[in-house]
Amino acid sequence: PLPLDPIQPIHMHALFSLSPDRARLHHLQDKSTQDTEPAEWNDWLFKDGIPVAWAKLLCALARVHPFQPTFEKWPRIMDNKQDPLSHAVEKVIGIIGRESLALWPTDTGYVNSHDGLLAVGSESAALKDAFREAKIPVAFVPKELQSYAKAVFKCRKISPANICAFLESERGSIVALGGKTKCKLLDYILSNSGSCNFGNLEIFPFEDGVFRSINGISAFVHRDEFEKALFSKERDRSIALENNFAPFDSLSIRGQFTRLLPPDHIQKPQ
């Protein structure tokens, strides 16, 4: 009944404390009355009651539409800080984080911030496709909600180290991935591998057409055509920098994991 024009995407029904003419809500800044309880009640509704109900609504929507993002129903960011719902975004996302609610949409379904990874916003379409095929639970959040999401996910964001850790935990499923996806994931991990334990991952393309890990073997990355020919008979030990799936930045890949074959393995070109 109030002459309000809400910009929020949902309607809230509650036992608000209204002025006698139903034209306004009692609020704490109102000095026209000495009785503060009606204003305190409204304040509690907006700061506690409504955010909890809103989070429950989002949970219900996630159950009904497990693979459909519902960000259009999340609180809007408001410039008017006098609006009683101006802090709804912080309140609702705060609840989502504290209660580890699975409300972050990914290609594998909704996840909480402990099970998913937050996209940073600069991922290419090809990298997104690789994440999708590898079933990596990546949450792509609207730009206006990025800062709030970062506070919830903390260090759980897309990075070579986190992608490497996820693949390490799902090594059994790597074999089923396509060659293009393996190469894209490898290229991303090597872009800033740091302390990543990527050697165990069977995503390294060799000249014989097989993807292997590089732990426990001496793998060779040729520096020029002469070395490529020199090791042509060691195709199961030579990394395929030029392959059918994706070309690598040869300087980057050499700098990350070049390991020359022992001298007794060197074969002269025919």
Side-chain angles (χ1 to χ4, degrees):
L2 296 175
L4 298 178
D5 184 21
I7 68 168
Q8 297 296 348
I10 66 171
H11 291 286
M12 290 147 282
H13 296 271
L15 190 60
F16 292 106
S17 180
L18 308 177
S19 61
D21 60 0
R22 303 182 64 83
R24 60 186 176 83
L25 295 170
H26 290 295
H27 55 85
L28 294 177
Q29 290 74 33
D30 186 3
K31 305 301 182 182
S32 62
T33 178
Q34 293 182 341
D35 185 4
T36 61
E37 287 187 359
E40 291 171 354
W41 168 250
N42 286 340
D43 189 61
W44 179 86
L45 282 175
F46 282 116
K47 291 183 178 179
D48 293 277
I50 289 175
V52 170
W54 207 325
K56 290 182 178 180
L57 170 64
L58 296 178
C59 287
L61 291 174
R63 288 192 295 270
V64 174
H65 306 288
F67 295 99
Q68 179 179 325
T70 57
F71 287 121
E72 73 275 5
K73 299 300 182 184
W74 285 46
R76 300 282 190 268
I77 298 174
M78 305 181 68
D79 295 327
N80 180 13
K81 298 306 178 183
Q82 301 303 314
D83 191 289
L85 287 173
S86 61
H87 300 293
V89 176
E90 296 97 318
K91 293 291 184 179
V92 172
I93 294 182
I95 293 171
I96 293 171
R98 287 194 304 274
E99 299 187 10
S100 295
L101 300 179
L103 286 176
W104 303 100
T106 75
D107 287 321
T108 63
Y110 278 87
V111 298
N112 61 38
S113 58
H114 300 294
D115 296 331
L117 295 172
L118 178 65
V120 298
S122 58
E123 295 80 9
S124 66
L127 187 58
K128 290 179 182 179
D129 289 341
F131 291 159
R132 184 179 300 109
E133 185 183 346
K135 292 182 170 56
I136 302 175
V138 179
F140 294 94
V141 177
K143 185 177 180 180
E144 62 271 18
L145 296 178
Q146 272 284 337
S147 61
Y148 301 99
K150 287 178 181 178
V152 174
F153 279 84
K154 297 181 172 63
C155 62
R156 297 279 304 170
K157 63 181 180 179
I158 289 297
S159 68
N162 283 335
I163 293 298
C164 191
F166 176 85
L167 294 175
E168 180 71 21
S169 70
E170 301 287 337
R171 269 196 287 169
S173 62
I174 291 178
V175 65
L177 299 180
K180 184 177 180 180
T181 292
K182 291 177 182 178
C183 286
K184 190 61 185 176
L185 292 172
L186 176 60
D187 202 36
Y188 177 70
I189 290 172
L190 294 179
S191 68
N192 186 16
S193 60
S195 59
C196 293
N197 184 25
F198 54 77
N200 287 326
L201 303 177
E202 294 183 350
I203 56 176
F204 294 85
F206 284 78
E207 292 285 358
D208 63 353
V210 178
F211 284 84
R212 301 183 179 88
S213 70
I214 59 171
N215 273 3
I217 67 171
S218 296
F220 178 71
V221 178
H222 60 266
R223 291 170 293 187
D224 50 40
E225 291 301 315
F226 172 78
E227 289 186 349
K228 184 177 181 180
L230 185 66
F231 289 92
S232 61
K233 291 189 177 181
E234 295 279 4
R235 294 171 62 81
D236 61 337
R237 292 178 178 269
S238 298
I239 299 293
L241 293 181
E242 297 85 20
N243 55 74
N244 294 329
F245 304 106
F248 289 110
D249 178 346
S250 58
L251 293 178
S252 171
I253 202 169
R254 289 190 191 103
Q256 292 293 341
F257 62 84
T258 297
R259 289 193 238 168
L260 294 176
L261 289 172
D264 58 341
H265 285 195
I266 295 178
Q267 299 177 354
K268 295 181 179 179
Q270 301 300 314

